Amino acid sequence: MSDTTRIGWTDLPAEVRAGVEEVLGDRVVEAVSQPGGFSPGTADRVRTAGGGRAFVKAVATHRNASTVQMHRVEAAVTAALPGHAPTPRLLGHHDDGEWVALVLTDVDGRHPTTPWRADELTAVLDTLARMAGTLTPNPVPHAPTAVERLTHDFTGWERIAADPPADLDPWAATHLDELRDIAAYGLTGLVGDTLCHVDLRADNLLIDPAGSVTVVDWPHACVGPPWLDTALLLVNVLLHGGHDVDDLLHRSSVTFGVDPDLLTGVHAGLASYFLDHARQPPPPGIPTVRAFQRLQGDALLPWVRRRLR
């Protein structure tokens, strides 16, 4: 699922396109909009007159002010990532106060197939394990901690208890205290010195023709335990079905041996975030994100329920 209001390269003001071309040092002659994600801005693979390639994403405050700030954060994070990490490189950015455009290395790849193919899932999990090692210790000094990033998100059960929706799952309605407590416990485990992506989904991953995986879109990066991104990716695997996510938790080298209650708490906290936010009005320019949050919450809750028995 993705946003349906995305604009393209030709919709950008001339001065923004000129700013991107200044970064590239050449004129853009072709731009192909990319699917996936929820940004109301552009997401284009571009080619220059001299044959150079790059990926450009741009958004304006009048379309969504939060996304503008996310682009600024992503520019700072991506610029600090080590060159050997499986991530794009920041070539430069344009920021005129209204529009922010990021110019990144182009990745000749596609999103993993969903429902997930076993070979692609293995490649992604292997990449996340290696990435956790590469990004430990944390290379981005200004990144917030995972506890700072996720505390509000993980307290969604408190807000749901205070104002329960009419369609709240009956089991959840009778176990709100337990769900709140296990989510709070999960939050206590989000400590470490690994830079984590924390927004892992198929549409934030690219697989090139050789099978190498690149992790893209880093505005939510924070510092936490090395297993966090793997635990979060399994939400997307669970959503699309076809795999035993409990077995994957046990088999992964980074989640194996982690306190099972901590992992359950993390997923309970995420479920509270998705279900609480899904009932809010959609943010400007992103009409489909609430439905996607609801799908994720509805997929997570039965998994959490089984693990709490």
Side-chain angles (χ1 to χ4, degrees):
M1 183 177 293
S2 63
D3 175 59
T4 57
T5 63
R6 177 165 288 165
I7 59 175
W9 170 257
T10 57
D11 298 309
L12 296 177
E15 60 270 22
V16 178
R17 297 197 302 271
V20 170
E21 291 176 335
E22 183 176 353
V23 171
L24 293 170
D26 200 356
R27 179 171 54 91
V28 171
V29 296
E30 181 183 54
V32 180
S33 183
Q34 302 302 293
F38 293 93
S39 171
T42 67
D44 292 287
R45 295 178 68 182
V46 303
R47 181 173 59 84
T48 67
R53 294 186 176 275
F55 176 73
V56 177
K57 54 195 297 186
V59 71
T61 300
H62 72 267
R63 291 191 64 81
N64 188 287
S66 295
T67 306
V68 166
Q69 183 56 29
M70 287 167 60
H71 276 27
R72 290 180 175 135
V73 170
E74 184 175 4
V77 170
T78 309
L81 292 174
H84 56 289
T87 62
R89 308 275 78 75
L90 181 72
L91 302 177
H93 71 287
H94 166 88
D95 188 343
D96 59 21
E98 169 65 14
W99 284 90
V100 176
L102 306 188
V103 186
L104 301 151
T105 51
D106 183 40
V107 178
D108 181 17
R110 57 170 179 80
H111 299 306
T113 301
T114 53
W116 282 79
R117 286 172 27 185
D119 60 332
E120 294 181 352
L121 179 56
T122 296
V124 169
L125 292 173
D126 288 347
T127 297
L128 295 184
R130 291 193 300 272
M131 185 175 78
T134 298
L135 299 182
T136 306
N138 164 44
V140 184
H142 55 270
T145 67
V147 173
E148 291 169 335
R149 174 75 74 191
L150 297 173
T151 290
H152 181 267
D153 295 347
F154 277 32
T155 55
W157 293 120
E158 296 179 12
R159 294 184 291 277
I160 289 171
D163 181 23
D167 61 350
L168 180 61
D169 177 88
W171 176 83
T174 59
H175 291 77
L176 286 172
D177 287 344
E178 184 179 8
L179 287 165
R180 180 200 62 212
D181 291 346
I182 194 69
Y185 180 63
L187 193 65
T188 68
L190 299 186
V191 294
D193 193 24
T194 300
L195 187 72
C196 305
H197 182 283
V198 302
D199 194 25
L200 265 296
R201 308 185 304 263
D203 59 341
N204 282 337
L205 298 160
L206 292 170
I207 302 177
D208 71 17
S212 296
V213 177
T214 301
V215 183
V216 303
D217 293 341
W218 284 82
H220 304 293
C222 58
V223 187
W227 49 263
L228 182 56
D229 278 339
T230 295
L232 298 184
L233 178 75
L234 294 185
V235 176
N236 193 250
V237 178
L238 178 71
L239 175 65
H240 291 289
H243 297 273
D244 184 337
V245 284
D246 291 292
D247 181 61
L248 291 170
L249 275 177
H250 291 304
R251 286 197 293 130
S252 168
S253 62
V254 290
T255 54
F256 179 79
V258 177
D259 178 358
D261 288 341
L262 276 180
L263 294 171
T264 299
V266 167
H267 290 126
L270 287 171
S272 81
Y273 164 75
F274 291 133
L275 294 173
D276 180 43
H277 278 66
R279 59 190 181 142
Q280 308 302 322
I286 315 177
T288 62
V289 69
R290 299 306 187 207
F292 186 57
Q293 288 171 335
R294 180 58 187 261
L295 285 173
Q296 292 175 100
D298 287 346
L300 264 174
L301 190 58
W303 190 29
V304 170
R305 177 179 180 177
R306 290 197 307 270
R307 290 156 62 186
L308 285 175
R309 287 177 176 172

